[in-house]
Amino acid sequence: MTALIHTLDIAGRHLRNFSRQPWYIAFSLVQPIIYLLLFGALFKRVVELPGFNTGSYATYLTPGIVAMSALFSGGWLGVTVVSDLDRGVLDRFLVSPVSRSALITGLLIQTGLVTVIQSLILIGLGVLVGARFAGGVAQVVVLVAAAVLLTAIFGALSCAVALIVRKEESIIGVVQFLLLPLTFLSSVFMAPALMPGWIRQVSRFNPLNWAVEIGRSAPEAASLDWSLVLTRGAGLVALAVVATWLATRAFGAYQRSI
Amino acid sequence: MTIQAAPREAAAASNDTDLAIVAHNLVKTYPGGVRALNGLSLAVATGTIFALLGPNGAGKSTTVKILTTLSRPDSGSARVAGFDVVARPSSVRRAIGYVSQKAAVDPEATGRENLSLQGRIYGLRGRELRRRVDELLERIGLAEAADRVAGTYSGGMQRKLDILMGLIHRPKVLFLDEPTTGLDPEARAELWAEIERLAREERLTILLTTHYLEEADRLAARVAIVDQGRVVVEGSPEELKGELRGDTIRVELADGATEPRVQAVLEHLPGVRDVTLQDGAVYARANSGGQAIPVVLAALERAGIPVAAATVARPSLDDVYLRYVGRSFDAAGEKGTER
């Protein structure tokens, strides 16, 4: 119960700070919007190849960009932890009775809400350039939910790395060397049928790909492929729980090192 | 006289409920073999201000980290507010306030928001929380700035907010890790007055670390000098200075005086000892500086040595430090970084 109250207190802190700098969301959207509009326009005719199962690259690309954007939002989260560490704010929390898990989940709640806003903006832009969601509101809802879970997974992992390595450079390293390759080892930009075999195999284990699959689970049909949504969704939930647990444990690793 | 060159005995008699902090033989080694604490023991009586004095790297901050449950000792034990820091960290955390070396405030939140969040963590809610926040802001003179984000505060204001955050839940024991480092002299003097007042009004036990001798002298009832991870000597500032038995006499020589001759003259005077030469001046120690100085000046005049100035000073903690650690305080401060 205390943990829950503390989670809301910590989430409140981050949400309030976010509300003071809402333009941050515009910066974080620059890259996904470039992919959505320019990359989408450049490769517009790629859907003429067999294997895409849709006549519109915007329809294919938009769920991928939403998931990619969520992945990176999570990946950068460790920067917040490093700056709290540098300022001594985190040490103050750690010698208080605050629940350790609340320090992580409170931050994840705020970032999750930011991901919801980002996702809805990207989906709106996608629709403007021709994306269609045949599954309707249900498809949008499961896509956004998958995006939030993706943010939670990589956000928690980024916090864990931040607590162990404690340098902003290492967060940048994680983003560059882990998240960018993960993006290309998925079906964000390219249909699985057209990928090299090894990338297709790797992508089956890539949580980013699971989120993309959930977002595309109704490409032409009107109803969602619920068995796909639930199996991939369960995988994302499980990973989010494990990652949050790891991040909470990382406080112990930090405290043992000082 | 209750000087304890080895404060271990005091720590051993630790079940005494009058002690708010007891540490016994703390050892802490960091990866890479840096031994930050090497058998540090101390005992702090409830309701008093206790200073850990030493240069950077002496082990002060490590001690505070262990006593506040942030870090764990390799060996040794400590109790704070009656609870073992390793076995009962949650109980210790509820009883203490911690103000670290950095002003640990969230610069993106207002002063009031910083304080309120801190209060909520300790279970303060609603009207009770608002009243306590207002009371503290008012008391330390931050009420007007309370609704500005803390990032716009001056260093001194951030430090005050920081200290209030350590006090919001009415802790029994407050840890202040170098509270005035980085502040200008005016802000420092102001903060000293605040700390004294808060200690009195909130009836706190305070353990503060400092590398300012005058800070320990001004604030603390008892001082422990820390060097290389252990307490070298402990006592009240007066006791420590009294240990040096006497005052320092400083005679500045006019041009043409040859210093060795001065030394020869002074060494034969009764009640004057430890004569040393430094930078064109002669230093000596006397039981009573006031009585010794006319004798010294008369002797120098008889010997025909011109004197530019003569002063008497009560011994400072600097002198105490030099005596127990074997090197001057400033020189010791040059080495190492604080852990």
Side-chain angles (χ1 to χ4, degrees), chain A residues 88-111:
Chain A
V89 170
L90 202 65
D91 284 358
R92 188 197 281 286
F93 282 136
L94 290 177
V95 302
S96 81
V98 76
S99 142
R100 303 306 194 244
S101 61
L103 293 175
I104 298 295
T105 50
L107 186 54
L108 293 181
I109 286 174
Q110 179 257 331
T111 316

PDB file of all heavy atoms in Angstrom, chain A residues 88-111:
ATOM      1  N   GLY A  88      22.416  14.220  -6.264  1.00  0.00           N
ATOM      2  CA  GLY A  88      22.253  13.750  -4.892  1.00  0.00           C
ATOM      3  C   GLY A  88      20.796  13.523  -4.532  1.00  0.00           C
ATOM      4  O   GLY A  88      20.489  13.128  -3.405  1.00  0.00           O
ATOM      5  N   VAL A  89      19.882  13.787  -5.482  1.00  0.00           N
ATOM      6  CA  VAL A  89      18.450  13.611  -5.211  1.00  0.00           C
ATOM      7  C   VAL A  89      18.146  12.136  -4.929  1.00  0.00           C
ATOM      8  O   VAL A  89      17.373  11.801  -4.035  1.00  0.00           O
ATOM      9  CB  VAL A  89      17.614  14.124  -6.415  1.00  0.00           C
ATOM     10  CG1 VAL A  89      16.153  13.733  -6.277  1.00  0.00           C
ATOM     11  CG2 VAL A  89      17.762  15.632  -6.544  1.00  0.00           C
ATOM     12  N   LEU A  90      18.817  11.257  -5.667  1.00  0.00           N
ATOM     13  CA  LEU A  90      18.543   9.832  -5.496  1.00  0.00           C
ATOM     14  C   LEU A  90      19.052   9.336  -4.135  1.00  0.00           C
ATOM     15  O   LEU A  90      18.381   8.558  -3.464  1.00  0.00           O
ATOM     16  CB  LEU A  90      19.196   9.042  -6.630  1.00  0.00           C
ATOM     17  CG  LEU A  90      18.570   7.689  -6.849  1.00  0.00           C
ATOM     18  CD1 LEU A  90      17.138   7.831  -7.312  1.00  0.00           C
ATOM     19  CD2 LEU A  90      19.370   6.901  -7.856  1.00  0.00           C
ATOM     20  N   ASP A  91      20.230   9.806  -3.721  1.00  0.00           N
ATOM     21  CA  ASP A  91      20.760   9.405  -2.417  1.00  0.00           C
ATOM     22  C   ASP A  91      19.789   9.808  -1.308  1.00  0.00           C
ATOM     23  O   ASP A  91      19.578   9.077  -0.349  1.00  0.00           O
ATOM     24  CB  ASP A  91      22.120  10.074  -2.152  1.00  0.00           C
ATOM     25  CG  ASP A  91      23.235   9.402  -2.941  1.00  0.00           C
ATOM     26  OD1 ASP A  91      22.952   8.420  -3.651  1.00  0.00           O
ATOM     27  OD2 ASP A  91      24.388   9.864  -2.852  1.00  0.00           O
ATOM     28  N   ARG A  92      19.207  10.989  -1.469  1.00  0.00           N
ATOM     29  CA  ARG A  92      18.266  11.439  -0.449  1.00  0.00           C
ATOM     30  C   ARG A  92      17.060  10.497  -0.382  1.00  0.00           C
ATOM     31  O   ARG A  92      16.600  10.151   0.705  1.00  0.00           O
ATOM     32  CB  ARG A  92      17.804  12.861  -0.763  1.00  0.00           C
ATOM     33  CG  ARG A  92      16.980  13.460   0.350  1.00  0.00           C
ATOM     34  CD  ARG A  92      16.203  14.645  -0.102  1.00  0.00           C
ATOM     35  NE  ARG A  92      16.980  15.871  -0.204  1.00  0.00           N
ATOM     36  CZ  ARG A  92      17.385  16.571   0.839  1.00  0.00           C
ATOM     37  NH1 ARG A  92      17.119  16.158   2.049  1.00  0.00           N
ATOM     38  NH2 ARG A  92      18.071  17.668   0.683  1.00  0.00           N
ATOM     39  N   PHE A  93      16.564  10.079  -1.551  1.00  0.00           N
ATOM     40  CA  PHE A  93      15.452   9.122  -1.556  1.00  0.00           C
ATOM     41  C   PHE A  93      15.869   7.795  -0.908  1.00  0.00           C
ATOM     42  O   PHE A  93      15.098   7.185  -0.178  1.00  0.00           O
ATOM     43  CB  PHE A  93      14.978   8.844  -2.990  1.00  0.00           C
ATOM     44  CG  PHE A  93      14.122   9.934  -3.574  1.00  0.00           C
ATOM     45  CD1 PHE A  93      14.328  10.377  -4.865  1.00  0.00           C
ATOM     46  CD2 PHE A  93      13.102  10.518  -2.825  1.00  0.00           C
ATOM     47  CE1 PHE A  93      13.533  11.380  -5.413  1.00  0.00           C
ATOM     48  CE2 PHE A  93      12.303  11.517  -3.363  1.00  0.00           C
ATOM     49  CZ  PHE A  93      12.526  11.946  -4.665  1.00  0.00           C
ATOM     50  N   LEU A  94      17.109   7.376  -1.188  1.00  0.00           N
ATOM     51  CA  LEU A  94      17.528   6.051  -0.723  1.00  0.00           C
ATOM     52  C   LEU A  94      17.727   5.988   0.788  1.00  0.00           C
ATOM     53  O   LEU A  94      17.703   4.899   1.357  1.00  0.00           O
ATOM     54  CB  LEU A  94      18.813   5.615  -1.447  1.00  0.00           C
ATOM     55  CG  LEU A  94      18.619   5.290  -2.931  1.00  0.00           C
ATOM     56  CD1 LEU A  94      19.957   4.953  -3.584  1.00  0.00           C
ATOM     57  CD2 LEU A  94      17.642   4.135  -3.121  1.00  0.00           C
ATOM     58  N   VAL A  95      17.945   7.129   1.456  1.00  0.00           N
ATOM     59  CA  VAL A  95      18.037   7.091   2.915  1.00  0.00           C
ATOM     60  C   VAL A  95      16.693   7.457   3.548  1.00  0.00           C
ATOM     61  O   VAL A  95      16.611   7.659   4.759  1.00  0.00           O
ATOM     62  CB  VAL A  95      19.157   7.999   3.476  1.00  0.00           C
ATOM     63  CG1 VAL A  95      20.491   7.608   2.888  1.00  0.00           C
ATOM     64  CG2 VAL A  95      18.867   9.464   3.213  1.00  0.00           C
ATOM     65  N   SER A  96      15.652   7.548   2.735  1.00  0.00           N
ATOM     66  CA  SER A  96      14.299   7.795   3.247  1.00  0.00           C
ATOM     67  C   SER A  96      13.525   6.476   3.171  1.00  0.00           C
ATOM     68  O   SER A  96      13.985   5.526   2.558  1.00  0.00           O
ATOM     69  CB  SER A  96      13.601   8.855   2.397  1.00  0.00           C
ATOM     70  OG  SER A  96      13.084   8.262   1.222  1.00  0.00           O
ATOM     71  N   PRO A  97      12.338   6.429   3.776  1.00  0.00           N
ATOM     72  CA  PRO A  97      11.583   5.162   3.734  1.00  0.00           C
ATOM     73  C   PRO A  97      10.878   4.923   2.393  1.00  0.00           C
ATOM     74  O   PRO A  97      10.042   4.041   2.313  1.00  0.00           O
ATOM     75  CB  PRO A  97      10.532   5.335   4.847  1.00  0.00           C
ATOM     76  CG  PRO A  97      10.832   6.620   5.527  1.00  0.00           C
ATOM     77  CD  PRO A  97      11.681   7.427   4.626  1.00  0.00           C
ATOM     78  N   VAL A  98      11.191   5.681   1.353  1.00  0.00           N
ATOM     79  CA  VAL A  98      10.474   5.505   0.089  1.00  0.00           C
ATOM     80  C   VAL A  98      10.716   4.093  -0.466  1.00  0.00           C
ATOM     81  O   VAL A  98      11.808   3.544  -0.331  1.00  0.00           O
ATOM     82  CB  VAL A  98      10.887   6.572  -0.946  1.00  0.00           C
ATOM     83  CG1 VAL A  98      12.257   6.278  -1.548  1.00  0.00           C
ATOM     84  CG2 VAL A  98       9.852   6.680  -2.054  1.00  0.00           C
ATOM     85  N   SER A  99       9.648   3.532  -1.054  1.00  0.00           N
ATOM     86  CA  SER A  99       9.762   2.200  -1.642  1.00  0.00           C
ATOM     87  C   SER A  99      10.667   2.264  -2.874  1.00  0.00           C
ATOM     88  O   SER A  99      10.536   3.147  -3.712  1.00  0.00           O
ATOM     89  CB  SER A  99       8.357   1.720  -2.026  1.00  0.00           C
ATOM     90  OG  SER A  99       8.378   1.022  -3.233  1.00  0.00           O
ATOM     91  N   ARG A 100      11.634   1.331  -2.952  1.00  0.00           N
ATOM     92  CA  ARG A 100      12.574   1.311  -4.083  1.00  0.00           C
ATOM     93  C   ARG A 100      11.845   1.133  -5.402  1.00  0.00           C
ATOM     94  O   ARG A 100      12.164   1.760  -6.395  1.00  0.00           O
ATOM     95  CB  ARG A 100      13.594   0.181  -3.940  1.00  0.00           C
ATOM     96  CG  ARG A 100      14.417   0.197  -2.674  1.00  0.00           C
ATOM     97  CD  ARG A 100      15.090   1.534  -2.533  1.00  0.00           C
ATOM     98  NE  ARG A 100      16.143   1.530  -1.531  1.00  0.00           N
ATOM     99  CZ  ARG A 100      16.103   2.240  -0.426  1.00  0.00           C
ATOM    100  NH1 ARG A 100      15.039   2.949  -0.129  1.00  0.00           N
ATOM    101  NH2 ARG A 100      17.122   2.247   0.411  1.00  0.00           N
ATOM    102  N   SER A 101      10.852   0.223  -5.407  1.00  0.00           N
ATOM    103  CA  SER A 101      10.153  -0.038  -6.663  1.00  0.00           C
ATOM    104  C   SER A 101       9.385   1.203  -7.116  1.00  0.00           C
ATOM    105  O   SER A 101       9.249   1.453  -8.306  1.00  0.00           O
ATOM    106  CB  SER A 101       9.221  -1.238  -6.513  1.00  0.00           C
ATOM    107  OG  SER A 101       8.255  -0.970  -5.529  1.00  0.00           O
ATOM    108  N   ALA A 102       8.910   2.016  -6.138  1.00  0.00           N
ATOM    109  CA  ALA A 102       8.165   3.228  -6.500  1.00  0.00           C
ATOM    110  C   ALA A 102       9.040   4.206  -7.273  1.00  0.00           C
ATOM    111  O   ALA A 102       8.563   4.927  -8.150  1.00  0.00           O
ATOM    112  CB  ALA A 102       7.611   3.905  -5.251  1.00  0.00           C
ATOM    113  N   LEU A 103      10.353   4.228  -6.949  1.00  0.00           N
ATOM    114  CA  LEU A 103      11.247   5.144  -7.655  1.00  0.00           C
ATOM    115  C   LEU A 103      11.289   4.794  -9.140  1.00  0.00           C
ATOM    116  O   LEU A 103      11.416   5.672  -9.996  1.00  0.00           O
ATOM    117  CB  LEU A 103      12.657   5.079  -7.055  1.00  0.00           C
ATOM    118  CG  LEU A 103      12.796   5.600  -5.626  1.00  0.00           C
ATOM    119  CD1 LEU A 103      14.206   5.361  -5.104  1.00  0.00           C
ATOM    120  CD2 LEU A 103      12.455   7.085  -5.549  1.00  0.00           C
ATOM    121  N   ILE A 104      11.199   3.489  -9.455  1.00  0.00           N
ATOM    122  CA  ILE A 104      11.208   3.054 -10.857  1.00  0.00           C
ATOM    123  C   ILE A 104       9.809   3.180 -11.464  1.00  0.00           C
ATOM    124  O   ILE A 104       9.629   3.806 -12.512  1.00  0.00           O
ATOM    125  CB  ILE A 104      11.699   1.594 -10.968  1.00  0.00           C
ATOM    126  CG1 ILE A 104      13.138   1.468 -10.446  1.00  0.00           C
ATOM    127  CG2 ILE A 104      11.597   1.098 -12.414  1.00  0.00           C
ATOM    128  CD1 ILE A 104      14.164   2.224 -11.251  1.00  0.00           C
ATOM    129  N   THR A 105       8.806   2.605 -10.793  1.00  0.00           N
ATOM    130  CA  THR A 105       7.476   2.570 -11.412  1.00  0.00           C
ATOM    131  C   THR A 105       6.889   3.982 -11.536  1.00  0.00           C
ATOM    132  O   THR A 105       6.195   4.272 -12.501  1.00  0.00           O
ATOM    133  CB  THR A 105       6.512   1.668 -10.616  1.00  0.00           C
ATOM    134  OG1 THR A 105       6.572   2.034  -9.243  1.00  0.00           O
ATOM    135  CG2 THR A 105       6.886   0.211 -10.767  1.00  0.00           C
ATOM    136  N   GLY A 106       7.200   4.868 -10.592  1.00  0.00           N
ATOM    137  CA  GLY A 106       6.713   6.241 -10.695  1.00  0.00           C
ATOM    138  C   GLY A 106       7.226   6.908 -11.961  1.00  0.00           C
ATOM    139  O   GLY A 106       6.493   7.603 -12.675  1.00  0.00           O
ATOM    140  N   LEU A 107       8.517   6.673 -12.251  1.00  0.00           N
ATOM    141  CA  LEU A 107       9.122   7.236 -13.463  1.00  0.00           C
ATOM    142  C   LEU A 107       8.523   6.582 -14.710  1.00  0.00           C
ATOM    143  O   LEU A 107       8.269   7.251 -15.720  1.00  0.00           O
ATOM    144  CB  LEU A 107      10.640   7.015 -13.396  1.00  0.00           C
ATOM    145  CG  LEU A 107      11.517   7.635 -14.479  1.00  0.00           C
ATOM    146  CD1 LEU A 107      11.274   9.124 -14.610  1.00  0.00           C
ATOM    147  CD2 LEU A 107      12.990   7.366 -14.171  1.00  0.00           C
ATOM    148  N   LEU A 108       8.266   5.269 -14.634  1.00  0.00           N
ATOM    149  CA  LEU A 108       7.704   4.558 -15.790  1.00  0.00           C
ATOM    150  C   LEU A 108       6.285   5.046 -16.097  1.00  0.00           C
ATOM    151  O   LEU A 108       5.892   5.139 -17.260  1.00  0.00           O
ATOM    152  CB  LEU A 108       7.693   3.042 -15.556  1.00  0.00           C
ATOM    153  CG  LEU A 108       9.061   2.351 -15.482  1.00  0.00           C
ATOM    154  CD1 LEU A 108       8.889   0.852 -15.273  1.00  0.00           C
ATOM    155  CD2 LEU A 108       9.876   2.616 -16.740  1.00  0.00           C
ATOM    156  N   ILE A 109       5.532   5.360 -15.054  1.00  0.00           N
ATOM    157  CA  ILE A 109       4.164   5.854 -15.286  1.00  0.00           C
ATOM    158  C   ILE A 109       4.196   7.164 -16.076  1.00  0.00           C
ATOM    159  O   ILE A 109       3.479   7.340 -17.061  1.00  0.00           O
ATOM    160  CB  ILE A 109       3.429   6.059 -13.936  1.00  0.00           C
ATOM    161  CG1 ILE A 109       3.050   4.695 -13.357  1.00  0.00           C
ATOM    162  CG2 ILE A 109       2.185   6.939 -14.117  1.00  0.00           C
ATOM    163  CD1 ILE A 109       2.444   4.779 -11.968  1.00  0.00           C
ATOM    164  N   GLN A 110       5.079   8.073 -15.642  1.00  0.00           N
ATOM    165  CA  GLN A 110       5.170   9.351 -16.358  1.00  0.00           C
ATOM    166  C   GLN A 110       5.602   9.128 -17.811  1.00  0.00           C
ATOM    167  O   GLN A 110       4.994   9.659 -18.744  1.00  0.00           O
ATOM    168  CB  GLN A 110       6.155  10.281 -15.640  1.00  0.00           C
ATOM    169  CG  GLN A 110       6.336  11.630 -16.308  1.00  0.00           C
ATOM    170  CD  GLN A 110       7.626  11.729 -17.100  1.00  0.00           C
ATOM    171  OE1 GLN A 110       8.619  11.072 -16.782  1.00  0.00           O
ATOM    172  NE2 GLN A 110       7.617  12.534 -18.145  1.00  0.00           N
ATOM    173  N   THR A 111       6.644   8.315 -18.003  1.00  0.00           N
ATOM    174  CA  THR A 111       7.137   8.091 -19.369  1.00  0.00           C
ATOM    175  C   THR A 111       6.094   7.368 -20.211  1.00  0.00           C
ATOM    176  O   THR A 111       5.955   7.641 -21.404  1.00  0.00           O
ATOM    177  CB  THR A 111       8.432   7.266 -19.333  1.00  0.00           C
ATOM    178  OG1 THR A 111       9.256   7.781 -18.303  1.00  0.00           O
ATOM    179  CG2 THR A 111       9.166   7.357 -20.639  1.00  0.00           C
TER     180      THR A 111
END
